[in-house]
Amino acid sequence: MKRIKEILKSNPFSSNSQNVQLLWLYAIAIIFSLCIYADISVAYSNDSQHYMTAGETYLNGRLHNFRTPLYPLVYHFAKTMAGSAAGHIVVILQILLFMFSILAFYRSCSFLVQSRRIVFTASLLYTIHPGIILWNQFIITESFAISGAVILFYFIVEFYKKQRLWSAVAIPATILALIALRPSSIYFTPALALFALFMLAKRKKFAWTLFSGLFISAIAVAGYCFKYYQEYGIFGPSNVNILNQYYFLRKNNLLTPDDATNGSMNILVADILSAEESERSMDQFQEFTYLVNTFGHKETNNMIKSAIGRERKSYYRFILQQIIEVRNFPAFSHFVNMATVSPLTKIYIKGCFFLLAFHFHIVYIFLIAYAFVIIFYSQKQKNNSLIHWVILLTVGSNLILVLTGAISEWHRLFAPSMPLFFMMIASAADKLRIK
């Protein structure tokens, strides 16, 4: 206890001791997490209901049409153990995993950054910023996805530093869990493929174990998609992708009754399209759900494919337009109802977002600049920059997925990359000698 008091008297920004900095980070993380939990406790979004009920579908031997299995099963088991307190159990699990991810973030950042001051600052930002830790209170996948992305990157760094069997197994196991959590985690695969191939080319120890694990994970995902095809007629992990495509078509008036695959669908689509904006009783999500419930996933998907094939140029022009428009959208945010939180929490949230909040155009510019920084310093210092390319490719892949596949709330899909983006900022600051 005396030793802990001595450490807490030290200045973590100027200290070169990892123990000092980590103890400070965990002391701050515990205080913030307890205060937020006491104020917000358990929160829900529009998607929460799916996650809370989909577990029963899986336990009955069927796949849920919208949600992949990991989060629904976690919630279902929590409900089995704690009943109506299941939400609290899940939130506590999310906070505990986040606590472990702080160590993973700190050690990964320490590998990328030499300055201990910058390492601590970046880790503190990850530990307390509401754009990250507020997701811990919600019954949705964001919290696990954020912590999981940090932990996966930590495993990659550890395997790169010293090839061990545990990390060679942990990497494919973690990416498989993340994809089972939310299919959008597929954005990690280009970077993982680059990393595994590099390790194979260098004939590193356990490289074949890593590659085989990733291959097995890919087979497992393909098997899930095939099972989904058998149940719903679509080869994929869920119908979220075709919902987004339907939204793109409807928003740009690219869908016509002639795209329908049968007469009944043709009549229904004509009725949907003929209704004036003020007279419509359904939004695009409700329209899509009604079409799927009436005609099935396969027929609805065939209609969407027909429309995209006919209006391919207009469809991709809309995606390009979205990329341009999203540049002014906040890169990270939160779902907390500010009217329900205490004045102190409100000040904390608004203050943090006032001090550090940026839009997607900053992300665009920074990723391009970061690539040039890597190229310059790798030539100047003749050092291996593989991990820098891995983190750049990971964040870049996620950004592309967000911009081309999401229909709104782009910050939610980008949230798992925000900690990695913080590491990139810290690395760039370190390279440019901004102490």
Side-chain angles (χ1 to χ4, degrees):
M1 193 66 183
K2 183 179 180 181
R3 176 59 179 159
I4 293 176
K5 289 181 179 179
E6 290 177 358
I7 291 176
L8 292 176
K9 289 180 181 178
S10 305
N11 185 343
F13 289 96
S14 59
S15 176
N16 288 322
S17 170
Q18 290 191 17
N19 290 335
V20 168
Q21 292 189 333
L22 283 170
L23 184 59
W24 268 98
L25 287 172
Y26 274 103
I28 293 169
I30 291 170
I31 292 171
F32 269 71
S33 295
L34 289 175
C35 291
I36 293 172
Y37 182 79
D39 193 7
I40 300 175
S41 187
V42 182
Y44 302 91
S45 76
N46 293 334
D47 293 340
S48 298
Q49 189 60 35
H50 270 162
Y51 292 115
M52 295 164 64
T53 59
E56 296 180 5
T57 303
Y58 283 102
L59 291 178
N60 288 330
R62 300 188 67 249
L63 305 186
H64 193 271
N65 62 340
F66 259 105
R67 306 302 172 194
T68 42
L70 184 56
Y71 200 91
L73 290 175
V74 168
Y75 186 89
H76 183 84
F77 291 137
K79 185 177 180 181
T80 301
M81 292 186 297
S84 60
H88 293 272
I89 298 296
V90 173
V91 165
I92 291 171
L93 289 174
Q94 290 175 169
I95 292 173
L96 290 175
L97 187 64
F98 172 72
M99 290 293 173
F100 177 73
S101 75
I102 292 173
L103 176 63
F105 183 99
Y106 180 86
R107 290 188 173 173
S108 299
C109 195
S110 296
F111 178 78
L112 296 171
V113 177
Q114 293 182 355
S115 168
R116 308 309 306 176
R117 187 187 300 271
I118 294 178
V119 170
F120 181 78
T121 302
S123 301
L124 181 64
L125 180 64
Y126 174 69
T127 300
I128 69 170
H129 199 285
I132 291 177
I133 64 173
L134 289 179
W135 294 115
N136 294 341
Q137 311 306 128
F138 280 84
I139 304 300
I140 45 179
T141 59
E142 270 64 25
S143 176
F144 282 156
I146 292 169
S147 298
V150 173
I151 292 168
L152 175 57
F153 186 71
Y154 166 71
F155 290 153
I156 293 171
V157 170
E158 286 299 303
F159 187 81
Y160 179 75
K161 288 162 56 178
K162 187 173 183 179
Q163 292 75 51
R164 296 174 180 171
L165 179 61
W166 74 263
S167 53
V169 173
I171 291 171
T174 305
I175 186 58
L176 183 60
L178 286 174
I179 294 174
L181 177 72
R182 51 196 286 179
S184 60
S185 297
I186 196 90
Y187 69 83
F188 252 109
T189 54
L192 287 175
L194 169 68
F195 182 72
L197 291 173
F198 179 88
M199 289 297 173
L200 282 174
K202 293 295 182 179
R203 298 184 178 180
K204 296 291 185 179
K205 188 178 181 181
F206 297 120
W208 276 108
T209 303
L210 171 63
F211 182 82
S212 300
L214 292 174
F215 181 76
I216 292 171
S217 298
I219 294 298
V221 173
Y224 183 91
C225 292
F226 181 72
K227 173 66 174 175
Y228 193 91
Y229 173 80
Q230 289 180 318
E231 288 195 28
Y232 297 106
I234 301 171
F235 188 83
S238 74
N239 66 10
V240 172
N241 184 53
I242 63 171
L243 164 62
N244 292 345
Q245 291 175 340
Y246 180 82
Y247 177 87
F248 286 155
L249 293 169
R250 288 286 288 113
K251 188 174 182 179
N252 290 272
N253 298 316
L254 301 179
L255 186 68
T256 70
D258 292 338
D259 296 312
T261 57
N262 59 63
S264 299
M265 181 182 282
N266 181 293
I267 295 172
L268 178 57
V269 172
D271 290 341
I272 290 174
L273 298 178
S274 64
E276 296 292 336
E277 188 73 30
S278 59
E279 298 175 355
R280 287 176 186 162
S281 59
M282 298 185 291
D283 59 23
Q284 283 85 4
F285 175 78
Q286 292 170 324
E287 291 173 7
F288 175 81
T289 302
Y290 186 74
L291 286 166
V292 165
N293 290 340
T294 305
F295 301 104
H297 291 75
K298 185 175 182 179
E299 293 298 314
T300 304
N301 186 42
N302 288 340
M303 177 188 70
I304 292 170
K305 284 183 177 179
S306 173
I308 293 175
R310 180 178 46 78
E311 295 284 357
R312 193 169 299 279
K313 288 185 179 179
S314 298
Y315 182 81
Y316 289 123
R317 190 182 302 119
F318 167 73
I319 292 178
L320 178 61
Q321 180 183 348
Q322 175 167 281
I323 294 173
I324 297 172
E325 292 177 352
V326 171
R327 74 184 190 277
N328 295 319
F329 192 84
F332 62 126
S333 186
H334 63 88
F335 274 5
V336 173
N337 184 354
M338 297 294 284
T340 63
V341 299
S342 66
L344 188 61
T345 301
K346 191 178 297 185
I347 292 172
Y348 149 68
I349 295 174
K350 289 187 175 181
C352 285
F353 276 102
F354 175 77
L355 293 173
L356 182 62
F358 47 85
H359 294 72
F360 272 106
H361 69 270
I362 300 297
V363 179
Y364 298 174
I365 295 170
F366 184 83
L367 292 183
I368 296 172
Y370 192 80
F372 283 106
V373 169
I374 297 174
I375 294 170
F376 176 77
Y377 277 95
S378 62
Q379 291 180 347
K380 181 181 177 181
Q381 299 175 356
K382 305 299 182 184
N383 63 335
N384 194 300
S385 56
L386 175 64
I387 294 299
H388 292 280
W389 285 114
V390 167
I391 194 171
L392 175 63
L393 185 56
T394 298
V395 177
S397 298
N398 192 18
L399 181 63
I400 292 171
L401 183 70
V402 168
L403 297 175
T404 60
I407 57 179
S408 62
E409 297 176 355
W410 298 275
H411 61 273
R412 284 186 62 187
L413 277 177
F414 194 65
S417 284
M418 286 310 305
L420 305 184
F421 192 70
F422 291 163
M423 289 188 205
M424 294 171 70
I425 294 174
S427 176
D430 188 60
K431 296 292 185 188
L432 298 172
R433 298 297 188 266
I434 300 175
K435 304 296 184 182

